[in-house]
Amino acid sequence: MDILRVESSLVCTRRIDGLQKTSLRVLANARGKRMVAVDPVGARPGNWVFVVEGSAARYAAGDFSVLTDLTIGGIIDYWDTEQADTSGAPKQKVG
Amino acid sequence: MDILRVESSLVCTRRIDGLQKTSLRVLANARGKRMVAVDPVGARPGNWVFVVEGSAARYAAGDFSVLTDLTIGGIIDYWDTEQADTSGAPKQKVG
Amino acid sequence: MDILRVESSLVCTRRIDGLQKTSLRVLANARGKRMVAVDPVGARPGNWVFVVEGSAARYAAGDFSVLTDLTIGGIIDYWDTEQADTSGAPKQKVG
Amino acid sequence: MDILRVESSLVCTRRIDGLQKTSLRVLANARGKRMVAVDPVGARPGNWVFVVEGSAARYAAGDFSVLTDLTIGGIIDYWDTEQADTSGAPKQKVG
Amino acid sequence: MDILRVESSLVCTRRIDGLQKTSLRVLANARGKRMVAVDPVGARPGNWVFVVEGSAARYAAGDFSVLTDLTIGGIIDYWDTEQADTSGAPKQKVG
C-alpha cells in the first residue's frame, strides 16, 4: 500500500455512475505525482495516508460496486524511522 | 486513479472482439507517456481526466465483458492545489 | 492499455501448459523495454499495437484459461496528435 | 514478488474496518521508496522480506476479507548471487 | 509478461503457508532490480525467462491456492531482434 499525501478535493461534474456519491481526493506521492482516490475515512489536505489498490480498493470503499482502483485505507499518525530519510515522506510525526 | 490528458481518438481497424464498439482515446500523462483507454463519458482532446485501471475498468466501461484494463472515470473540472506545482498537471481550473 | 511495438516472435520450447498453443510476441515500449505478449490478432514485426493487462488479458486471449497477463488488443492504424511528440511513439500514421 | 526491507511498525488510529486487527509495517525498497504492508509472519525492523501483491495479498493475510494489496510473504534468510550487485539489496546473508 | 534472468534459489525458512512447497527463485531484470518468483518449470541460474503476474500467476503455479503474484511462465530459447539493442536483454540466442 503506497504512502501518499492529501492535497485537495476533486471537483468533477461528469463522471461514471459507478463512482456513486463517493468523495474524491487528489493525492500526491513523495515525488509530486498526483492521483485520485476515493476517501471513506475523511482525510484532510495535508494528511499522509496509505492507499489500497486493485480489486481490494472497491471493497475498501465500503461497497464492491464502487468502481475505484484506489481507496484511502487509513490516516498515518506516525512511524519510527531508523535510518536517514531521503524521500521526502514523513519521518516521525505526521498530522 | 491516474490523471491523464486526452490527446485524440484512436483509429484501429483490427482489434479483438472483446472491445466491442467502445470508443478508444489516446491519453498522455504529465511526462508525455501515451496510453489507450475506453471512453464512456465523451471526453474531448485537451480534457484532463482520471482513469480506472484493472478489473474495475471493465465495469466502468458499462459492461464487464468489455476487455479493457483502462477506462476514463470522469472529466476533471478543477481542484485547489495548496502547494507549488512541478508536474505539469492542471493546477486550478481545467477545461 | 499501453502502446507497444512488435519486435519478433518468441521461441520458447519449455513453457507452462497454461499458455496452450498461443503465439507469443516480443514487444518493446518507446523506451526500449521488452515484454512478452499473447497475440490473437496476427500482428507483424514493426506494427504498433496496444495491449490489455491483468485478468482481462486472459479473456482477450480468447479463452479465460490461457495464463497470460498481457495480450495484444489491436493493431493501431493511426491517430492525430495535437502537440509535439517527445516519446518516440508513432505520431500520425503507423503501419 | 518484490524484495523489501522492514523499517518500522505503523501507528494509524483511523483506518478502514477492512484491515481488521492486522499488524502494519512500513517497508522500503532498495531505492528508498516506502510502502505499507500487512505482516502475518512477525518480521522485525531490518529484516529483508518478499511481499505478495494484488488479490493474493488478501489470502496471504490469512483471510480473504482483509483489505490489503500488499502482504509480507516470507523473511529472506539468504541467497547466492552469482554476479556483481549494484542495487543495494542483500547479497549473500541477510538477517 | 516481463523478461527476467534467473539469479539463484531463495532460502527462506519462515514464509506464509500459502506458498506451499513451491520452489522460489531470485530473478533480476535488465536494470538489475531483483524479484522473487515461483518456478514450476525448473529454470537454472543464467536462464532468461518470462514471468506471469497477477491472478494468473496463481494458476500458472499449478494450483490457484498458491499465493504468489509472480510465476515463471517459460524459459526463453531465443528471438530475432530487428533493431539495435540497448536494454541489456538477450539479443539472439539465450541459454
Side-chain angles (χ1 to χ4, degrees):
Chain A
M1 293 171 280
D2 283 342
I3 297 172
L4 299 170
R5 187 166 171 277
V6 180
E7 290 209 335
S8 61
S9 295
L10 182 73
V11 180
C12 175
T13 49
R14 191 157 31 145
R15 61 189 204 178
I16 53 171
D17 297 337
L19 283 166
Q20 304 177 14
K21 293 181 184 302
T22 55
S23 295
L24 298 178
R25 298 281 181 271
V26 177
L27 312 178
N29 68 9
R31 299 170 63 182
K33 187 191 169 192
R34 291 202 180 96
M35 281 151 278
V36 175
V38 167
D39 177 10
V41 299
R44 290 164 308 162
N47 284 160
W48 283 91
V49 299
F50 63 88
V51 290
V52 182
E53 287 177 81
S55 57
R58 281 186 275 165
Y59 291 105
D63 180 348
F64 186 68
S65 67
V66 174
L67 297 182
T68 177
D69 63 15
L70 199 70
T71 299
I72 296 177
I75 300 173
I76 297 173
D77 295 328
Y78 65 89
W79 70 77
D80 297 316
T81 311
E82 61 175 38
Q83 61 181 25
D85 183 275
T86 58
S87 68
K91 286 178 195 178
Q92 295 183 322
K93 196 111 190 179
V94 189
Chain B
M1 295 171 279
D2 283 342
I3 298 172
L4 300 170
R5 186 166 171 277
V6 180
E7 290 210 334
S8 60
S9 295
L10 183 73
V11 180
C12 175
T13 49
R14 189 156 33 144
R15 61 189 205 178
I16 53 171
D17 296 338
L19 282 166
Q20 304 177 16
K21 293 181 185 302
T22 54
S23 295
L24 298 178
R25 297 281 181 271
V26 178
L27 312 178
N29 67 10
R31 299 170 62 182
K33 187 190 170 193
R34 291 202 180 96
M35 280 150 277
V36 175
V38 167
D39 178 9
V41 298
R44 290 165 308 164
N47 284 160
W48 284 92
V49 298
F50 63 88
V51 290
V52 181
E53 288 177 81
S55 57
R58 281 187 274 164
Y59 291 105
D63 180 350
F64 187 68
S65 66
V66 174
L67 298 181
T68 177
D69 64 14
L70 198 70
T71 300
I72 296 176
I75 301 173
I76 297 173
D77 296 326
Y78 65 89
W79 70 75
D80 297 317
T81 312
E82 61 175 38
Q83 61 181 24
D85 185 273
T86 58
S87 68
K91 286 178 197 180
Q92 296 183 323
K93 197 109 190 182
V94 190
Chain C
M1 294 170 279
D2 282 341
I3 298 172
L4 300 170
R5 187 166 170 276
V6 180
E7 288 209 336
S8 61
S9 295
L10 183 73
V11 180
C12 174
T13 49
R14 189 155 34 142
R15 62 188 202 179
I16 54 171
D17 296 338
L19 282 166
Q20 303 177 17
K21 292 181 184 303
T22 54
S23 296
L24 297 178
R25 297 281 180 269
V26 178
L27 312 178
N29 68 11
R31 299 170 62 181
K33 188 191 169 193
R34 290 202 180 96
M35 281 150 276
V36 175
V38 167
D39 178 9
V41 299
R44 290 164 309 162
N47 283 159
W48 284 91
V49 298
F50 62 87
V51 290
V52 181
E53 287 178 79
S55 56
R58 282 187 274 164
Y59 291 104
D63 180 350
F64 186 70
S65 67
V66 174
L67 298 182
T68 177
D69 64 14
L70 198 70
T71 299
I72 295 176
I75 301 173
I76 297 173
D77 296 326
Y78 66 90
W79 71 75
D80 296 316
T81 312
E82 61 175 38
Q83 61 181 26
D85 184 273
T86 58
S87 68
K91 286 179 197 177
Q92 296 183 322
K93 196 112 191 179
V94 190
Chain D
M1 293 171 281
D2 282 343
I3 297 172
L4 299 170
R5 187 167 171 276
V6 180
E7 289 209 335
S8 61
S9 295
L10 182 74
V11 180
C12 175
T13 49
R14 190 157 31 144
R15 60 189 205 178
I16 52 171
D17 297 338
L19 282 167
Q20 303 177 16
K21 293 181 185 300
T22 54
S23 296
L24 297 179
R25 299 280 181 271
V26 177
L27 312 178
N29 68 9
R31 298 170 64 181
K33 189 192 168 191
R34 291 201 180 97
M35 280 151 278
V36 175
V38 167
D39 177 9
V41 299
R44 289 165 310 163
N47 283 160
W48 284 91
V49 298
F50 63 88
V51 290
V52 182
E53 286 177 81
S55 57
R58 282 187 273 165
Y59 292 105
D63 180 348
F64 186 68
S65 66
V66 175
L67 297 182
T68 177
D69 64 14
L70 198 70
T71 300
I72 295 177
I75 300 173
I76 298 173
D77 296 328
Y78 65 89
W79 70 77
D80 298 316
T81 311
E82 61 175 37
Q83 61 181 26
D85 183 274
T86 58
S87 68
K91 287 180 195 178
Q92 294 184 323
K93 197 112 190 179
V94 189
Chain E
M1 293 171 282
D2 282 342
I3 297 172
L4 300 170
R5 186 166 171 276
V6 180
E7 288 210 336
S8 60
S9 295
L10 182 74
V11 180
C12 174
T13 48
R14 189 156 33 142
R15 60 189 204 177
I16 53 172
D17 296 338
L19 282 167
Q20 303 177 17
K21 293 181 184 302
T22 53
S23 295
L24 297 178
R25 299 280 181 270
V26 178
L27 312 179
N29 68 10
R31 298 171 63 182
K33 188 191 169 192
R34 291 200 180 97
M35 281 150 277
V36 175
V38 167
D39 178 8
V41 299
R44 290 165 310 163
N47 284 160
W48 284 91
V49 298
F50 62 87
V51 290
V52 182
E53 287 177 79
S55 57
R58 282 186 274 164
Y59 291 105
D63 180 349
F64 186 69
S65 67
V66 174
L67 297 182
T68 177
D69 64 13
L70 198 70
T71 300
I72 296 176
I75 301 172
I76 297 173
D77 295 326
Y78 66 89
W79 71 75
D80 297 316
T81 311
E82 61 175 36
Q83 61 180 27
D85 184 274
T86 58
S87 68
K91 286 180 198 178
Q92 295 183 322
K93 196 113 192 180
V94 189

